[in-house]
Amino acid sequence: MTLIYITTGYYRVNYDTKNWLKIASYLNSKNYKKIHVLNRAQIIDDAFYFTMTSQLNASIFWELTKYLRQETEYVAWYPMIKVLERISYIFHFPDESEYFKTIILEQLEPFLQTIGYNENRNDSYSIKCLRQEAVKWACVLNDSSCKTMALNKLQQHLTNPVRHKLLPGWKKWTYCNGLLIANETVLMSVYYIYAKEIRSKRDTKISLEFLTCSKHFYMNSITMFEDIREETINNINFFHYNVAKHAKDNSVLDYILENWEKVKPKEIKMTTALIDIINHVYSKEQLDKIMEFVKNLKLEPLFIDYSILESINSILFSKVKIFIINLKVLSHLHKNVASSVFIIELVQLCMSHIHS
């Protein structure tokens, strides 16, 4: 194996399959650091580029990235972080994203076991940044250990905020991911801290956006917090944050549609609220449910109904276009994505509602 040394210049390097596999084997060995960190980064970046342009088999790209479970340099991880950002749209679709989530977590989980979730005094700045990126994506990919760790940190902070102070870079991650699995006691504690800060008209340390990370908080907000909710919560933001985070969950979507008059802010139009929901659901079943809800609405005058349907159909077609673009990207990374039936169902749904 010929070692790759640092070079300068803006160009990409492609190899034949045999040499790519040799590079992958070397990276996955204990000697990977003998390849300069900039070259390690370039290898991942080049491999992704050649995969996306159909010049490299996707299996080789994923074989190369396996070595990242032992990589602790932010520079070397950076190309993979950008890959995650590029393909993140598909994570909303359970069937299409399962393969990607599994293979990426196989890298992240052992990596986080190595560097840990807690910052150490002797950690370099790059390690701190890399840890924050790693835990962010681990939770995005629904790693249970990640969410449990966030909840533990949140409970410690609520018990003793001085001793367990949250650093700015960890605040959103801790609150949002902790509240995702928190019980009612923790939810109530966080909400009353937020409400107290709002009433005292001082800068809030807890963002409304953090509270809406919990679908249980939203689904109980009408009853559990009705007495103080109106004076402490911005209804428009509250509605949008919850839709963006939870509308793809069937139980939340059902809750919204069944309690429409109570949950839709009076300050926004019905069409605006419905479009917001459609933009954040990712299955034909959910879209069918929304369309059925719209058709059953009793609206006067009648033309308003057609206006809403026209707006919804426009959004549906936009959603089709976005998904087609992402499917083309992802089909390079895994052949099964190209066989997804969701896009076909979505097109059929649009056409059926236009002609109905």
Side-chain angles (χ1 to χ4, degrees), residues 19-73:
N19 280 311
W20 272 119
L21 290 174
K22 283 184 177 180
I23 293 172
S25 177
Y26 198 84
L27 282 173
N28 282 291
S29 73
K30 296 299 181 182
N31 296 318
Y32 74 97
K33 288 187 178 180
K34 290 184 179 180
I35 301 176
H36 193 279
V37 63
L38 294 181
N39 290 122
R40 300 201 299 269
Q42 184 179 0
I43 287 169
I44 299 300
D45 190 55
D46 286 351
F48 180 69
Y49 171 81
F50 291 125
T51 300
M52 301 309 293
T53 54
S54 301
Q55 299 179 65
L56 182 66
N57 190 292
S59 63
I60 295 177
F61 170 73
W62 292 116
E63 187 65 26
L64 287 162
T65 63
K66 284 182 181 179
Y67 105 92
L68 289 170
R69 67 189 66 184
Q70 62 181 345
E71 178 64 78
T72 57
E73 293 286 347

Side-chain angles (χ1 to χ4, degrees), residues 73-310:
E73 293 286 347
Y74 184 88
V75 171
W77 263 95
Y78 183 77
M80 191 62 197
I81 292 170
K82 303 312 289 184
V83 170
L84 292 176
E85 291 174 358
R86 183 166 183 185
I87 70 174
S88 60
Y89 181 84
I90 203 68
F91 295 154
H92 295 296
F93 299 87
D95 294 336
E96 288 78 10
S97 65
E98 194 59 36
Y99 172 82
F100 299 106
K101 288 181 178 180
T102 300
I103 199 168
I104 294 166
L105 283 175
E106 286 175 355
Q107 302 162 8
L108 286 173
E109 288 171 348
F111 169 72
L112 283 170
Q113 288 175 6
T114 299
I115 67 168
Y117 281 83
N118 297 316
E119 289 193 359
N120 299 309
R121 184 177 301 176
N122 297 326
D123 283 342
S124 65
Y125 178 72
S126 64
I127 278 287
K128 291 179 181 179
C129 292
L130 183 52
R131 180 184 287 111
Q132 288 185 12
E133 284 286 350
V135 299
K136 178 186 79 173
W137 286 108
C139 281
V140 166
L141 298 172
N142 293 322
D143 179 60
S144 58
S145 298
C146 180
K147 293 177 182 178
T148 300
M149 184 63 70
L151 178 58
N152 290 340
K153 284 179 174 288
L154 177 58
Q155 289 175 317
Q156 290 175 346
H157 174 69
L158 293 174
T159 302
N160 193 329
V162 176
R163 183 177 180 182
H164 300 286
K165 184 178 181 180
L166 295 177
L167 298 175
W170 286 91
K171 195 168 188 178
K172 182 176 181 179
W173 177 84
T174 303
Y175 271 96
C176 276
N177 292 294
L179 288 175
L180 277 173
I181 59 173
N183 59 28
E184 185 178 314
T185 302
V186 176
L187 283 174
M188 293 288 284
S189 297
V190 174
Y191 177 72
Y192 282 116
I193 293 172
Y194 169 81
K196 183 179 179 180
E197 291 176 345
I198 289 292
R199 284 171 164 171
S200 64
K201 300 186 184 301
R202 61 184 179 185
D203 292 337
T204 57
K205 296 178 181 178
I206 299 175
S207 166
L208 176 61
E209 188 178 359
F210 297 170
L211 278 169
T212 56
C213 289
S214 168
K215 73 173 185 179
H216 300 294
F217 175 79
Y218 180 56
M219 294 174 70
N220 289 294
S221 62
I222 292 178
T223 54
M224 188 185 299
F225 307 107
E226 187 174 19
D227 57 331
I228 52 179
R229 176 171 169 258
E230 289 298 323
E231 62 179 289
T232 59
I233 288 182
N234 179 306
N235 286 324
I236 296 177
N237 288 341
F238 188 62
F239 178 79
H240 171 69
Y241 287 150
N242 280 289
V243 165
K245 290 182 173 72
H246 307 301
K248 60 182 178 288
D249 185 304
N250 283 323
S251 63
V252 176
L253 180 61
D254 290 343
Y255 168 81
I256 292 173
L257 299 181
E258 290 168 7
N259 297 277
W260 184 253
E261 294 300 325
K262 293 182 178 179
V263 301
K264 186 193 80 68
K266 298 180 178 64
E267 300 89 340
I268 63 175
K269 295 180 180 179
M270 180 177 295
T271 307
T272 303
L274 286 168
I275 289 174
D276 196 11
I277 295 171
I278 289 171
N279 277 329
H280 294 97
V281 297
Y282 302 92
S283 76
K284 178 179 179 296
E285 176 191 357
Q286 291 177 320
L287 291 170
D288 276 331
K289 193 177 294 184
I290 295 168
M291 294 303 294
E292 187 64 27
F293 169 77
V294 171
K295 289 182 177 180
N296 290 333
L297 287 173
K298 294 180 172 60
L299 298 171
E300 295 293 344
L302 188 60
F303 72 84
I304 297 179
D305 190 25
Y306 290 113
S307 173
I308 292 175
L309 287 173
E310 185 178 336

Side-chain angles (χ1 to χ4, degrees), residues 307-337:
S307 173
I308 292 175
L309 287 173
E310 185 178 336
S311 297
I312 288 175
N313 279 320
S314 175
I315 293 299
L316 286 174
F317 271 112
S318 296
K319 203 172 184 74
V320 168
K321 291 178 182 178
I322 293 171
F323 194 66
I324 287 175
I325 292 170
N326 281 277
L327 270 184
K328 287 180 179 178
V329 171
L330 295 168
S331 63
H332 292 289
L333 293 173
H334 186 45
K335 61 182 180 180
N336 289 345
V337 173

